[in-house]
């Protein structure tokens, strides 16, 4: 076997498995590859003639047969130099990674292309996800293409257009009176009875691996030399964790030149567990009350492995920064005027970046990459209509009967 | 000079010029390249190591210095095999070209990356366009990035989200009480006084050349062998015309194997000048009254060069087909369930394709490419709010004063 699982905390190894990403020690399992074998075929030269999707890195994705791949054209997104903004700022280079150009208009496509491919390889027929929006619509699209039944659970205040998108892709779409972790509980409770394969954050091995390709691409697109700083809007954190894993793998494969980037998490004020825990230190404490931030991908009060997010930020010499709704609004307008349509999350990255400039945390020699995760448009205020709203799995079952 | 202009009707040649795309004979001018020179550097081999945007075909785009290119990551969009739908149909292969994965979420990005690059090379500072929506938002984004002032004029019943997108990109956005050609008249009337560079369909040499890259890509992505049929939703027709020019150029460059495709135009019932003229024969007659179709990119009662559209369809052995709003709705739902978010125009392509199957116009040996030009979401019903609505240039001027 080319890949297995390994615990990020105690280092224990396990055979590859579709479910159960928690180690006995409490740590999170991730996919580990036989890098010696990978390195025989994955080379800078071999990459030159490969598909221009994230599947160009097939050796570093947990699918055995390429016949199982479910692809809608994800990855290999543009990395655009933000010249109009860069010129006015005291730093060397500024890019935006345009993740909104993925299928379904968001970076979530990567995770689900991988997760649904893995699921197909293992004969899965029904998939379910809890999501603040874009993960749900990405799952819906990939499951639709693969002919699987998709069940998506979204907080009832999620962006209406994204809920409508889930329905367009044919998913059973349900709103939840609660937060993303409440939606997750419904899947947890009903999973066995309904035969759902849970593709929530860090619940299975595909999504973090798919998102990892953002890191692989960044390295390749920058000539195998990473930027000094990556600013990433953070919710569940699998993108950040995935990218960091990618850098480690590239390093061990001998493909990287120079230093690793300082990783920066941005969250919105009113739900900032990553910032709070970075400042506080000690074991990770989720937020259990008083959440007041807007319903975006960053609103994750109880990230499935907050510990791991904080560890990546620390190890990289990075930081975490909270921004206000007003700063996000201004950032969105500013990016817009430079020709970039940014989601609130992407705009938060720009707003967080400005804060770091103000604090002199950034250096004039820095080369910075911001991640724009989705289109502004997907968040146009609108009510998700004619969709059921439930609080628990039992209620969902009753409503469906 | 590597390129000049040539009349598609009388064959007269002229030096390259930023404005005035009409020949004395009434024909439309297009860009002509020194193909012998182009062929020295544009080869199948050289393409392998080039940028994965439409600028990989720089020799076939009318910009002299690559320093003037305005790029936001346009082109080299995925070509996805529609396996879930293909299996149920009597034809060999079916693809969708995912143009919605361009910047600004539509194929229009290509035209404006080229048009704004050309404009920048010639020192333009103010640009204006009449559009049914997506052209306006694409212009707004590219002009924003290039630091130009953009003025966009849209029919007042255009999709509200797209009008909002134009404002997000910082364009002066104005609604017009009329159709796209009425909006064009405002630019025509005010152009000189306002110093607007008119980037409407076929008004300048960049847009059709930018869109041409859809054809270049298709050829390269399919291993230099074109499909037997291309189904394209048609409004102003510059995409169709551009692709046909691309195929001619590739043929003369000796890069194409096999036959040229049969080109198919799809329009919505209620505004189908292309279908009417294909059926009627004789000189092209625009539609001057009784337009009842929905406000999409296909609603162009008076295409700037309808004659040329019809000529391409005929020359290629293609056809034109009209579809109903109900067929478009069903097509959008069907594509959605296969994981593709399609604009009404992209859905119309699928609906038109189904009609051709019904009519036995398609053959079991056919390989078909559909163009999906934009995201479904951009057309979510919503009113463009707080924007001025005018009928004439004089009224626009008064309102602005």
């Amino acid at each position: 076997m080319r890949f297995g699982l390994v615990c990020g905390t105690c280092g224990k190894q396990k055979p590859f498995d579709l479910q159960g990403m928690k180690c006995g020690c409490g740590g999170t399992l991730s996919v580990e590859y036989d890098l010696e074998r990978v390195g025989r075929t994955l080379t800078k030269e071999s990459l030159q003639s490969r598909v221009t999707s994230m599947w160009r890195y097939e050796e570093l994705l947990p699918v055995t047969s390429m016949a199982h791949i479910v692809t809608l054209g994800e990855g290999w997104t543009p990395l655009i130099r933000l010249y109009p903004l860069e010129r006015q700022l005291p730093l060397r280079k500024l890019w935006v990674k345009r993740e909104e150009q993925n299928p379904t208009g968001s970076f979530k496509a990567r995770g689900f292309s991988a997760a649904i491919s893995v699921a197909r390889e293992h004969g899965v027929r029904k998939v379910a996800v809890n999501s603040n929006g874009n993960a749900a619509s990405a799952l819906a699209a990939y499951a639709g293409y693969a002919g699987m039944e998709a069940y998506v659970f979204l907080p009832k205040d999620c962006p209406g257009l994204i809920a409508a998108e889930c329905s367009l892709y044919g998913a059973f779409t349900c709103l939840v009176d609660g937060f993303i972790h409440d939606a997750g509980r419904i899947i947890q409770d009903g999973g066995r009875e309904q035969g759902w394969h849970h593709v929530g954050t860090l619940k299975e091995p595909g999504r973090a691996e798919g998102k990892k390709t953002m890191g692989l691409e960044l390295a390749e697109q920058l000539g195998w030399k990473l930027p000094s700083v990556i600013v990433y809007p953070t919710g569940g954190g699998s993108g950040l964790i995935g990218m960091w894993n990618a850098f480690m793998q590239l390093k061990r494969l001998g493909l990287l030149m120079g230093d690793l980037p300082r990783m920066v998490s941005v969250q919105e004020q009113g739900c900032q567990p990553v910032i709070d825990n970075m400042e506080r230190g000690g074991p990770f404490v989720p937020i259990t009350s008083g959440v007041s931030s807007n319903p975006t991908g960053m609103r994750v009060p109880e990230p499935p492995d907050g510990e791991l997010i904080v560890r990546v930020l620390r190890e990289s010499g990075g930081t975490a920064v909270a921004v206000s709704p007003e700063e996000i609004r201004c950032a969105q307008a500013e990016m817009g005027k430079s020709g970039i349509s940014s989601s609130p999350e992407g705009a938060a990255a720009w707003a967080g970046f400005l804060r770091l400039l103000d604090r002199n945390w950034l250096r004039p020699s820095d080369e910075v990459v911001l991640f724009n995760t989705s289109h502004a448009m997907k968040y146009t205020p609108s009510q998700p209509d004619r969709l059921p709203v439930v609080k628990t799995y039992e209620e969902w079952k009753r409503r469906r009967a």
Side-chain angles (χ1 to χ4, degrees), chain A:
Chain A
M1 195 66 170
R2 185 165 44 85
F3 48 84
L5 297 178
V6 65
C7 176
T9 304
C10 71
K12 194 175 162 185
Q13 292 180 316
K14 282 183 58 177
F16 186 78
D17 185 17
L18 199 57
Q19 291 262 285
M21 298 301 290
K22 277 284 172 198
C23 179
C25 81
T28 301
L29 301 172
S30 63
V31 184
E32 188 183 46
Y33 300 83
D34 176 349
L35 290 181
E36 204 182 311
R37 189 166 151 193
V38 167
R40 273 179 239 143
T41 52
L42 189 75
T43 61
K44 292 179 188 179
E45 295 67 37
S46 74
L47 280 166
Q48 278 173 17
S49 53
R50 293 198 180 186
V51 288
T52 45
S53 82
M54 68 176 219
W55 292 99
R56 64 196 277 107
Y57 309 110
E58 54 172 283
E59 293 94 336
L60 289 175
L61 289 165
V63 179
T64 306
S65 159
M66 287 303 111
H68 295 130
I69 285 177
V70 183
T71 178
L72 286 167
E74 53 291 323
W76 202 250
T77 54
L79 181 68
I80 296 294
R81 193 83 174 268
L82 280 178
Y83 289 112
L85 296 164
E86 181 188 291
R87 276 185 214 107
Q88 310 155 26
L89 301 169
L91 82 171
R92 195 178 290 158
K93 287 177 185 172
L94 180 64
W95 290 274
V96 62
K97 181 81 170 148
R98 302 203 72 174
E99 286 296 301
E100 77 277 24
Q101 288 183 220
N102 275 299
T104 76
S106 96
F107 75 125
K108 298 282 185 182
R110 296 177 187 266
F112 287 101
S113 178
I116 295 298
S117 299
V118 173
R120 173 145 93 172
E121 187 153 89
H122 290 79
V124 167
R125 304 293 311 151
K126 288 184 185 185
V127 286
V129 80
N130 56 321
S131 158
N132 279 320
N134 275 321
S137 67
L139 169 69
Y142 283 89
Y145 187 84
M148 294 180 195
E149 271 183 27
Y151 296 80
V152 306
F153 296 88
L154 304 147
K156 67 177 177 184
D157 61 351
C158 75
L161 292 194
I162 301 183
E165 204 192 347
C166 297
S167 302
L168 173 73
Y169 294 135
F172 297 94
T173 307
C174 183
L175 302 179
V176 176
D177 185 7
F179 292 111
I180 183 170
H181 56 267
D182 299 308
R185 204 158 300 129
I186 293 177
I187 302 175
Q188 209 82 39
D189 293 346
R192 185 180 295 262
E193 194 169 51
Q194 299 296 330
W196 290 331
H197 171 50
H198 194 339
V199 282
T201 306
L202 300 183
K203 289 291 176 197
E204 52 70 60
R207 279 180 66 192
E209 291 303 290
K211 284 203 195 159
K212 182 181 80 177
T213 60
M214 292 190 293
L216 301 174
E217 275 178 34
L218 204 55
E220 189 179 355
Q221 290 175 329
L222 290 174
W224 304 105
K225 199 185 159 311
L226 291 168
S228 26
V229 176
I230 290 176
V231 185
Y232 191 79
T234 305
S238 59
L240 187 96
I241 294 164
M243 277 199 278
W244 194 248
N245 286 341
F247 301 153
M248 295 302 146
Q249 288 167 357
L250 290 177
K251 219 177 154 143
R252 272 183 272 146
L253 285 165
L255 290 171
L256 273 190
M257 296 181 290
D259 296 332
L260 294 176
R262 284 128 67 204
M263 305 293 285
V264 178
S265 274
V266 183
Q267 300 196 299
E268 187 183 330
Q269 289 168 3
C271 182
Q272 51 179 75
V274 174
I275 290 93
D276 293 348
N277 279 279
M278 277 293 282
E279 286 170 2
R280 186 191 307 123
F284 191 91
V285 183
I287 291 181
T288 49
S289 68
V291 170
S292 62
S293 69
N294 287 300
T296 74
M298 294 176 291
R299 193 183 68 181
V300 182
E302 303 181 7
D305 196 343
E307 204 79 64
L308 194 50
I309 299 174
V310 168
R311 201 196 308 154
V312 168
L313 298 180
R314 290 229 174 88
E315 253 183 58
S316 75
T319 187
V321 53
V323 295
S324 71
E326 183 53 26
E327 282 174 281
I328 292 175
R329 259 192 302 276
C330 290
Q332 202 172 43
E334 208 166 0
M335 291 181 85
K337 291 208 168 78
S338 301
I340 308 288
S341 167
S342 67
S343 61
E345 298 89 347
W350 169 252
F353 159 78
L354 291 181
R355 282 226 178 184
L356 296 178
L357 270 178
D358 276 354
R359 282 187 204 162
N360 290 318
W361 189 87
L362 290 168
R363 307 164 197 150
S365 62
D366 275 339
E367 305 191 350
V368 180
V369 172
L370 311 172
F371 273 81
N372 185 34
T373 47
S374 182
H375 282 285
M377 204 186 324
K378 296 189 82 170
Y379 297 78
T380 306
S382 77
Q383 279 303 312
D385 55 4
R386 280 175 299 153
L387 287 172
V389 182
V390 304
K391 231 182 149 82
T392 64
Y393 170 62
E394 288 307 322
E395 197 184 340
W396 179 83
K397 226 171 93 176
R398 263 201 317 280
R399 292 282 300 263
R400 240 179 103 77

